[in-house]
Amino acid sequence: MPNLTINGHAVEVPPGTNLIEAARKIGVEIPHYCYHPGLSIAGQCRLCMVDIEKTPRPTIACNTPAVDGMVVLTETDRVKETRKSIMEFHLINHPLDCPVCDQAGECWLQIYYMQHGLYDPRMRDEKVHKPKAVPLGPHVMLDAERCILCSRCVRFCDEVTRTGELGIFDRGDHSEIGLFPGTELANKYSGNVVDICPVGALTDRDFRFAVRVWYLERATSICPGCARGCNIEVHVNRRRPHHNEGRRVARLKPRFNADVNRWWICDAGRYGFAFVDDKTRLLAPSRREDGAVSDATWEEAIGAVAGALRRFAPDEIGVVASPKMANEDLWALRRVLEQRGIRRVAFRVPPREPGDEDTVLIRGDKNPNSRGAELLGLDGDGAAILAAARARVVKCLWVFGHDLLQCAWDAAETDAALRAVPLLIFTGTNANATSERAHWVLPAATWVEREGTYTNFEGRVQRFRAAVEPLGQALPEWDILGRVLQALGVEVSAPRAERWFRELAGAVPVFAGLTYQSIGDGGAKLP
Amino acid sequence: MRGQDGTDAATRASTPVAFSVEQLAEVHRLQGLYPDRRAALLPVLHLAQETFGYVSLEVEAYVAALFDLTPAHVHEVVTFYTLFFRAPKGRHIVAVCHNLSCHLAGAPMIVAHLRRRLGIDVGETTDDGRVTLQSVECLCACEHAPMMQVDDRYEFGLTPEKVDRILEGLR
Ligand code: SF4
Ligand code: SF4
Ligand code: FES
């Protein structure tokens, strides 16, 4: 392993580590634009210059592997002068339109100008003008004047998605990022180019002008869009609600996890959060009697559900849980089922169309926690439960989240089942055709409104945290189920998600030893 | 007049874009010469330009397929170099040097004269398809300034009269 000295500190790194990463190891940040650890080296921006002893001139750090005995200096006068000049070059034709640029506040031109630029601009000539606000595809907007031609977006499309839509056209100061005429940037991961674009050249059409980034608050989370469980950050706008038409969740951003999603997320996951602030959210418990729907209190709703679980014989009760529920919810559900001896439980409801899948991240199973539901022993035969309802054997059906009328099961048969059951209970975040048929509706919090854990398809348990309060009176499923359990006479202490996880880890051997602390932000793989 | 940019739909439709069997063999030979076959892109694009008259978007896509590249990456190469024509060009190319020596020796006057005589601007082609006019960087013949290149020929010591005589000879 090469041993080198950076700014007087010794550091040992694996062979092949470049100087940017080596410096990062001891907390030294070498400014750079084009280098990205997930992409090939381009050496395009020249900002990462450092001095290396016995080298006559500053050298780019991104393309220089650490070598034994190397002595690197990142803050010599010569390096500082070089950086300053390079910043001046990068900004020569830049329109300086930060006040109307959506990147402002998280732009590496702004940040590095303040850290390494601070020169008096000498550009007197007319700047070269290029196209502005050009939609490249459904999600990405290009402002070619702000582009510094780092080529990160080009390399992303070449190397990660291998779709190669983007190129750098023309030459010299007329060079410009673009698409082959007549094509668009519509691959399944297109939003990532916005994340890796260090400047305001590529912005997100969904997020653009919704809210200034410095008003955002963030929570670490997990994408619930498929069984991969990509690590994300949820960015919410609580301080300026009027800026975003009441949309509290402003955007989702990928969060690095070497073992799950590296730096990326797919577009389906990135833009899949609209349901959180949607008009179809269920806001209060409600009952439907003789076709009339009226709001109820939680006490009434919990009382009604617990009463039904007592009233019906265990064999007359069927539960369709959901692989979108967290481990905590599923465990609380299992406690309820065990308490009453209910055996008819399932969680898989096959979708009409099989989910798309690829070799990058996207999984065909569009649920974040099928594995968790499996491990918690809830994998029964859902179709059989519905058949039993049709046959009037099951008299009380409790459905979590699913729209049973929109799945691969025969809609007429499902309809007959829903018609036949005397009591249909629905717990979920948003209204659907199934919830509209329910006698009792218990509104659940969405994943950004609560905490919990999902187990991804590889058996990695990952934590997500609350970014906002639940809308209306919605509650996390574990809380609803805990209240039901309490109403059934079981003492439930400390109503917190963590409590359920602790209980689960104590009871299910494969989860043994796991705690919220040990899972942390990186997740923990089950044995 | 046809501009440098934007392809002419009619021309595109009328020229089938496909190399002959012999040309394809040449493409493979060229690709085999380099460790990375992408390096053969320039000679193949020249071959395409000779064959199809100019490098339309359709030609770019065709060449891209021969290299397993996306059209965007061929477009990068074609737009980088000035010697690829992206719109139909004239039967003759008149390229006047506008770099320092020629400029001082009267190149702007020569260009103005050519524009007047041909009735077109720099970068355009006469309606009869006879001449495409260009203004280019140094052609390494400063000692003969002002100069221009007409097809494969250098013409030195230009005056309006000499330019007229040269134009006469272009059919
Ligand atoms: S658009 Fe952004 S990522 Fe792409 S080359 Fe320009 S600055 Fe780099
Ligand atoms: S791959 Fe799956 S988990 Fe990852 S962002 Fe897409 S939908 Fe979400
Ligand atoms: S980061 Fe090294 S040249 Fe851009």
Side-chain angles (χ1 to χ4, degrees), chain A residues 154 158 162-172 178-181 183, chain B residues 38 56-58 60-61 70-73 75-77 79-82 86:
Chain A
V154 178
D158 284 351
R162 298 176 182 274
T163 42
E165 297 94 331
L166 291 170
I168 298 179
F169 306 138
D170 288 302
R171 191 162 36 124
L179 294 158
F180 185 69
T183 63
Chain B
R38 192 168 172 169
S56 64
L57 294 178
E58 201 181 350
E60 289 180 10
T70 60
H73 290 316
H75 196 60
E76 288 184 306
V77 175
T79 56
F80 185 90
Y81 292 103
T82 48
R86 292 154 62 197

Side-chain angles (χ1 to χ4, degrees), chain A residues 223 225-226 228-230 265-266 269 361-362:
Chain A
C223 172
C226 81
R228 174 77 56 183
C230 292
I265 56 175
C266 78
L361 296 175
I362 300 171

Side-chain angles (χ1 to χ4, degrees), chain B residues 88-133:
Chain B
K89 60 177 158 74
R91 290 191 295 285
H92 302 284
I93 310 292
V94 172
V96 186
C97 170
H98 63 204
N99 225 271
L100 187 60
S101 305
C102 287
H103 187 94
L104 293 174
M109 184 259 292
I110 297 296
V111 172
H113 183 71
L114 277 162
R115 286 168 57 193
R116 224 170 16 249
R117 289 300 309 270
L118 295 170
I120 55 174
D121 218 332
V122 172
E124 293 178 345
T125 302
T126 53
D127 281 339
D128 58 4
R130 193 167 63 104
V131 174
T132 297
L133 177 62

Side-chain angles (χ1 to χ4, degrees), chain B residues 55-76:
Chain B
V55 186
S56 64
L57 294 178
E58 201 181 350
V59 169
E60 289 180 10
Y62 175 70
V63 171
L66 294 176
F67 280 81
D68 266 334
L69 290 171
T70 60
H73 290 316
V74 175
H75 196 60
E76 288 184 306

Side-chain angles (χ1 to χ4, degrees), chain A residues 221-335:
Chain A
S221 188
I222 300 298
C223 172
C226 81
R228 174 77 56 183
C230 292
N231 290 210
I232 57 169
E233 261 183 19
V234 181
H235 290 191
V236 296
N237 164 37
R238 281 204 285 221
R239 287 187 269 169
R240 291 290 188 282
H242 52 285
H243 280 190
N244 201 12
E245 292 161 1
R247 245 175 63 176
R248 298 169 304 159
V249 178
R251 62 180 181 183
L252 305 184
K253 285 280 192 186
R255 180 163 60 88
F256 176 76
N257 187 321
D259 300 316
V260 182
N261 54 306
R262 309 211 303 149
W263 300 265
W264 326 120
I265 56 175
C266 78
D267 289 353
R270 184 185 300 265
Y271 302 110
F273 61 87
F275 74 96
V276 171
D277 291 313
D278 192 67
K279 286 188 195 61
T280 58
R281 278 300 296 278
L282 297 167
L283 300 176
S286 65
R287 70 160 76 73
R288 192 166 56 80
E289 261 169 340
D290 307 323
V293 178
S294 55
D295 280 0
T297 63
W298 269 115
E299 288 68 35
E300 290 168 327
I302 299 291
V305 171
L309 297 183
R310 277 215 184 88
R311 189 163 75 249
F312 291 103
D315 197 46
E316 293 174 335
I317 300 171
V319 177
V320 185
S322 166
K324 293 195 194 310
M325 291 160 78
N327 292 318
E328 293 73 4
D329 309 326
L330 296 166
W331 177 252
L333 174 63
R334 201 173 122 177
R335 289 289 315 279

Side-chain angles (χ1 to χ4, degrees), chain B residues 41-60:
Chain B
L41 202 47
L42 285 180
V44 171
L45 281 168
H46 281 297
L47 183 65
Q49 175 154 287
E50 273 163 37
T51 310
F52 309 115
Y54 67 103
V55 186
S56 64
L57 294 178
E58 201 181 350
V59 169
E60 289 180 10

Side-chain angles (χ1 to χ4, degrees), chain A residues 20 32-35 43-48 60-62:
Chain A
I20 292 186
H32 59 274
Y33 287 123
C34 68
Y35 171 68
Q44 200 112 330
C45 73
R46 317 310 286 179
L47 187 60
C48 63
I60 54 171
C62 64

